[in-house]
Every structure is written in structure tokens, then in C-alpha cells.
Amino acid sequence: MKIGIAADHGGYALKEIILPFLKEHGHTVTDFGAYSLNNQDDYPDYIVPLARAVASQEVERGIAVCGSGVGAAIVANKIAGVRAALINDHFSAHQGVEDDDMNLLCLGGRVTGNMAAKDLIVAYLNATFTGAERHLRRLQKVQQLEQNH
Ligand code: RB5
């Protein structure tokens, strides 16, 4: 799968764990930065380019990491076509894709441990949108909001 990742300084250490993990699992990974640890950097500078790549389908799925995952989720959802969520549990990692077609997983680098993050990522990437009528209906309502904005 083509996957994009991005992190600010709060997520940088976890991104450095996730990147080789994804490659070991056979994924093609585009790293949108940060490319070094800079405690003064700002998460929108990395998460927005990733979110745009998800929206344009340059990558199939995104993974964004900041300190809590909150800022990453907030800014990613400003980009039309992105369905981002901060995920801290296994169930939501796959159900968010199955029901809500989540295409950008947000993690908290200061919250979620390395092994838990890997588990969430595997659950997220193995999941597919069911396409059930009720879920499509709900997604259309979300898309209408984007279009009316
Ligand atoms: C950076 O210190 C921190 O605020 C940021 O990584 C993130 O947690 C924001 O949601």
C-alpha cells in the first residue's frame, strides 16, 4: 500500500519507529517530515502536505503523529476529502475504516507506546471500508458539508 506519514517534534520519535516498520511490512512510504527533531516546529507544516496527498490519492492512507495526536487530527480534517481521527484503541483503528472510511490515522507520540502504535497501525491498514448503504449515506452527508463550506 502507498502510505504517507508526517510528524512534528512531538511525534518525531514515534515516526522514526513507524517508518521502518511500514517498510518491513512491504508498504511504499512517503515521509512528509519532519526530517529532523526541531522542538520549535509546527505540526501544520507537516500534517497539511500529508493530508493534501491523502485527499489527492497520491497516497492511499495517511499516518500523522504529533504529541497528543489532537492537533494533527484537527488540522488534517480541514482538508476536504480527509477523514482523520485520533486513535487510541484497537477497535476504533479498524472500525473507523470499516464504517467511516477513515483515511488518516492520528497518533499521539507522547501518549501511545511503540508496540501499541504498531498494533493500531496494523489494524488500520488491514481494514477496508464496508461500503454498506447506511455508511455511504452518512459519508454523503459529511461530503455535503465539505461542498457547502
Ligand atoms: C507540541 O508541543 C504539541 O503541542 C503538538 O505536538 C501536539 O500535541 C498538538 O496537538
Side-chain angles (χ1 to χ4, degrees), residues 68-136:
S68 63
V70 172
I74 288 172
V75 76
N77 278 315
K78 299 294 182 193
I79 307 301
V82 169
R83 293 173 294 278
L86 168 57
I87 297 295
N88 287 308
D89 70 278
H90 183 90
F91 173 76
S92 302
H94 61 86
Q95 199 248 15
V97 177
E98 292 158 357
D99 288 13
D100 308 312
D101 206 12
M102 174 173 65
N103 54 16
L104 204 159
L105 177 82
C106 300
L107 297 170
R110 295 171 177 159
V111 178
T112 303
N114 296 345
M115 295 307 292
K118 289 177 183 177
D119 174 78
L120 298 176
I121 288 167
V122 170
Y124 163 63
L125 295 179
N126 284 343
T128 52
F129 179 53
T130 64
E133 191 277 333
R134 66 187 185 285
H135 297 314
L136 284 170

Side-chain angles (χ1 to χ4, degrees), residues 1-142:
M1 197 181 279
K2 288 170 82 172
I3 299 169
I5 62 171
D8 72 348
H9 59 281
Y12 182 77
L14 182 56
K15 179 170 76 66
E16 293 306 289
I17 302 286
I18 291 170
L19 182 55
F21 176 73
L22 291 170
K23 287 182 175 171
E24 281 162 22
H25 283 73
H27 298 292
T28 302
V29 186
T30 304
D31 185 356
F32 290 85
Y35 302 117
S36 61
L37 181 62
N38 171 6
N39 286 322
Q40 303 305 316
D41 69 9
D42 303 324
Y43 60 82
D45 295 338
Y46 310 106
I47 310 304
V48 170
L50 166 65
R52 290 196 199 284
V54 170
S56 69
Q57 298 181 353
E58 176 189 328
V59 296
E60 295 165 71
R61 299 271 179 94
I63 299 172
V65 196
C66 66
S68 63
V70 172
I74 288 172
V75 76
N77 278 315
K78 299 294 182 193
I79 307 301
V82 169
R83 293 173 294 278
L86 168 57
I87 297 295
N88 287 308
D89 70 278
H90 183 90
F91 173 76
S92 302
H94 61 86
Q95 199 248 15
V97 177
E98 292 158 357
D99 288 13
D100 308 312
D101 206 12
M102 174 173 65
N103 54 16
L104 204 159
L105 177 82
C106 300
L107 297 170
R110 295 171 177 159
V111 178
T112 303
N114 296 345
M115 295 307 292
K118 289 177 183 177
D119 174 78
L120 298 176
I121 288 167
V122 170
Y124 163 63
L125 295 179
N126 284 343
T128 52
F129 179 53
T130 64
E133 191 277 333
R134 66 187 185 285
H135 297 314
L136 284 170
R137 185 180 68 237
R138 292 160 191 162
L139 269 181
Q140 278 163 9
K141 293 182 180 183
V142 173

